[in-house]
Amino acid sequence: MSVQERKQRERAERERLIVATARELAEQQGWDAVTTRRLAERIEYSQPVLYSHFRGKREIIGAVALEGAAEMAAAVRAATSAADGPRGRVVALARTYLDFAARNPAVYDALFQLDGGLPYAREDTPEPLKDAFAALLESLGEVAGDGVHPALFTEVFWASLHGLATLTRSGRLLPEDAARRVELLVDRLAVV
């Protein structure tokens, strides 16, 4: 291995450490607790080293969002591939999405609530975000109904899931009714 390759590998490892540490800190204490000073202390590097990877907290949030998008896409695909029939896939998708949001609140916030500097719904949207949407579209497109554009239906269903995730997390919806909400959402919106 050349010196150049070793330096690139070490740089990539430091970047992964920064993102993982930011994510851990945000999950434990919220995004307000994530500062470049705190991150530098936790990873035992100077702030200039941290800034050589990310220009600031906004870019770190964006990196966490991209990592989370890939994880969410993988979780949705795993759940839907194990389900039977279109309705089963949509129910599995909804439950997996809501579970992901509940288990990873800081990542979910990085994806959908905070400014991570990432463009959404545009040509230059990063691939992990496009792939997360594609993971939803794969199952939801088949239940959009006649004359309904699959991507548009996916956006509406996704918006409903986002609303459920956000309202449940903020304590505005009773958690014990979560399964009934998923069933109602699937029964009323999806053509299965």
Side-chain angles (χ1 to χ4, degrees):
M1 173 183 299
S2 72
V3 171
Q4 176 79 7
E5 290 170 331
R6 182 183 53 78
K7 285 183 179 186
Q8 287 175 342
R9 188 185 76 235
E10 288 171 354
R11 179 172 177 76
E13 288 172 8
R14 269 194 316 272
E15 192 165 301
R16 280 191 296 275
L17 177 62
I18 293 166
V19 172
T21 304
R23 182 176 174 166
E24 178 183 317
L25 186 57
E27 291 292 0
Q28 291 171 352
Q29 300 177 29
W31 278 105
D32 287 343
V34 179
T35 64
T36 53
R37 184 182 56 77
R38 263 192 160 160
L39 285 174
E41 288 171 3
R42 282 206 175 191
I43 64 172
E44 298 178 347
Y45 283 100
S46 68
Q47 282 183 299
V49 169
L50 194 138
Y51 281 116
S52 74
H53 291 274
F54 299 99
R55 285 184 290 216
K57 183 175 176 177
R58 183 178 187 220
E59 283 189 5
I60 294 168
I61 290 169
V64 170
L66 294 176
E67 186 177 271
E71 291 172 12
M72 186 174 69
V76 165
R77 285 190 174 109
T80 57
S81 69
D84 291 326
R87 185 179 194 291
R89 284 188 287 280
V90 174
V91 169
L93 177 150
R95 288 180 179 156
T96 300
Y97 182 96
L98 294 172
D99 182 59
F100 181 88
R103 284 184 301 105
N104 304 283
V107 173
Y108 192 82
D109 285 348
L111 270 164
F112 302 121
Q113 303 288 100
L114 301 174
D115 179 10
L118 302 172
Y120 285 76
R122 296 189 346 207
E123 199 63 35
D124 60 340
T125 298
E127 282 306 313
L129 298 178
K130 288 180 181 179
D131 189 52
F133 184 78
L136 301 176
L137 180 61
E138 289 162 10
S139 292
L140 293 171
E142 68 180 323
V143 298
D146 293 336
V148 178
H149 192 279
L152 184 61
F153 177 76
T154 300
E155 289 173 347
V156 171
F157 200 93
W158 170 31
S160 299
L161 289 174
H162 175 70
L164 290 174
T166 303
L167 291 170
T168 300
R169 184 167 142 202
S170 66
R172 286 167 174 79
L173 298 177
L174 296 173
E176 58 266 19
D177 291 333
R180 289 184 23 211
R181 283 188 203 97
V182 167
E183 295 294 326
L184 181 61
L185 181 63
V186 172
D187 291 343
R188 297 291 186 215
L189 285 184
V191 179
V192 288

